[in-house]
């Protein structure tokens, strides 16, 4: 099989609708004094802009936009203290993490503990058995990504590039890093196609940017509809269309539909 498959994690390998997204909504509500709590549609619209892959930054942007809608320019908002105090962004990150990871820094007890898995170790074993190298490029923190991959899925030392390791998507640097690590560890030829599997516009833009930077390689984007979209029939067609329009070759309902046979056909 002459393909490398790289997976996003959030919305692809785990359902973050009631964890990351819930923490984002909690954070916006907290910093707008309960006046605005974004809905799933509000968050999807933000993500659809293709530049808000980082949920901390997305939280801050929605907070700013709320106050701007009330006639307060972000430059004049009473949200930033003097230099002796934490910045607004630092306070957003800290609050977000108390919701997502929880209040215990060692034994996490937050929303992350209850995230449904969307794939199994057996799925990745089936790719290995078919001779398909695979790894992960995610905007999640290293701790959060490792928690899912190691503790929940039981994967042994998978190749992972997380938030701390590379610029955020749609910059393809992290994707290239996973490619290079897999190619080096498995002594692969440079003519392998690269399949990147993600659930957002930013993920598909990552593939588009990768093609621009490495035009001699064959990059294929595979969009996956996140669970909160599958639960709302009225949103499915529009979301699928947005993924395809943003660079996906196909848009599937679940990552496990990306079988070795499907990868071969791509």
């Amino acid at each position: 099989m002459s393909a490398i498959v790289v997976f996003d994690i959030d919305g692809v390998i785990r359902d973050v609708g009631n964890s990351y997204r819930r923490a984002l909504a909690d954070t916006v509500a907290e910093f707008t004094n309960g006046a605005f709590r974004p809905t799933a549609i509000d968050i999807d619209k933000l993500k659809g802009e293709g530049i808000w892959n980082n949920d901390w930054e997305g939280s801050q942007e929605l907070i700013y936009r709320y106050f701007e809608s009330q006639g307060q320019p972000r430059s004049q908002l009473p949200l930033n203290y003097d230099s002796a105090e934490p910045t607004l962004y630092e306070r957003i990150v800290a609050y977000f993490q108390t919701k997502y990871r929880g209040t215990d820094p060692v034994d996490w007890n937050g929303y992350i503990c209850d995230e449904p898995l969307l794939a199994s170790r057996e799925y990745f074993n089936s790719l290995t058995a078919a001779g398909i190298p695979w790894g992960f490029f995610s905007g999640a923190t290293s701790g959060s990504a490792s928690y899912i991959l190691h503790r929940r899925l039981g994967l042994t030392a998978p190749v992972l590039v997380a938030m701390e390791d590379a610029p955020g998507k749609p910059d393809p640097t992290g994707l290239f890093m996973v490619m290079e690590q897999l190619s080096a560890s498995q002594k692969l030829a440079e003519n392998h196609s690269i399949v990147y599997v993600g659930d957002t516009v930013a993920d598909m833009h990552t593939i588009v940017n990768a093609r621009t930077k490495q035009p001699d390689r064959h990059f294929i984007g595979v969009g996956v509809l996140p669970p909160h979209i599958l639960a709302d029939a009225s949103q499915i067609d529009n979301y699928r269309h947005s993924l395809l329009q943003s660079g996906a070759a196909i848009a599937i309902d679940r990552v496990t539909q990306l079988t070795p046979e499907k990868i071969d056909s791509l």
Side-chain angles (χ1 to χ4, degrees), residues 54-247:
N54 182 316
D55 285 333
W56 300 334
E57 294 176 353
S59 298
Q60 179 173 251
E61 182 63 19
L62 287 177
I63 292 165
Y64 279 143
R65 291 184 187 185
Y66 166 75
F67 283 106
E68 286 177 331
S69 74
Q70 304 303 303
Q72 301 181 61
R74 62 180 67 191
S75 62
Q76 299 177 15
L77 295 183
L79 292 171
N80 294 300
Y81 297 123
D82 61 45
S83 59
E85 297 288 341
T87 65
L88 170 63
Y89 185 72
E90 290 169 339
R91 290 185 288 133
I92 285 171
V93 172
Y95 183 84
F96 187 106
Q97 294 296 73
T98 65
K99 295 296 183 177
Y100 182 66
R101 289 189 177 185
T103 54
D104 189 325
V106 178
D107 295 317
W108 293 354
N109 55 7
Y111 300 155
I112 189 174
C113 300
D114 300 318
E115 291 172 331
L117 297 178
L118 305 174
S120 64
R121 182 169 58 180
E122 288 69 29
Y123 170 71
F124 295 103
N125 289 343
S126 72
L127 299 182
T128 300
I132 300 172
W134 48 269
F136 302 91
F137 170 40
S138 172
T141 64
S142 177
S144 171
S146 296
Y147 181 93
I148 290 299
L149 300 181
H150 299 152
R151 185 166 175 176
R152 298 284 307 281
L153 279 172
L155 302 180
T156 303
V159 173
L160 166 65
V161 172
M163 176 192 289
E164 301 91 336
D165 306 319
K169 293 176 279 189
D171 188 310
T173 300
L175 177 62
F176 296 154
M177 291 170 65
V178 177
M179 290 162 44
E180 291 167 2
Q181 289 183 52
L182 288 171
S183 296
S185 65
Q186 302 198 32
K187 298 180 173 61
L188 303 177
E190 291 188 358
N191 62 345
H192 274 60
S193 297
I194 311 300
V195 179
Y196 186 51
V197 189
D199 70 314
T200 67
V201 168
D203 293 326
M204 298 306 105
H205 286 176
T206 301
I207 280 289
V208 173
N209 292 337
R211 293 184 189 126
T212 300
K213 292 193 173 185
Q214 294 193 13
D216 294 336
R217 297 297 294 266
H218 184 209
F219 292 93
I220 303 168
V222 173
V224 178
L225 273 64
H228 76 276
I229 292 295
L230 292 175
D232 185 352
S234 67
Q235 298 293 318
I236 290 176
D237 289 344
N238 286 339
Y239 201 94
R240 193 186 306 276
H241 178 71
S242 71
L243 292 174
L244 294 171
Q245 195 170 40
S246 300

Side-chain angles (χ1 to χ4, degrees), residues 23-38 58-63 66-67 95:
L24 189 158
D26 287 351
T27 302
V28 174
E30 172 70 14
F31 285 87
T32 59
N33 299 314
F36 174 51
R37 181 180 180 85
S59 298
Q60 179 173 251
E61 182 63 19
L62 287 177
I63 292 165
Y66 166 75
F67 283 106
Y95 183 84

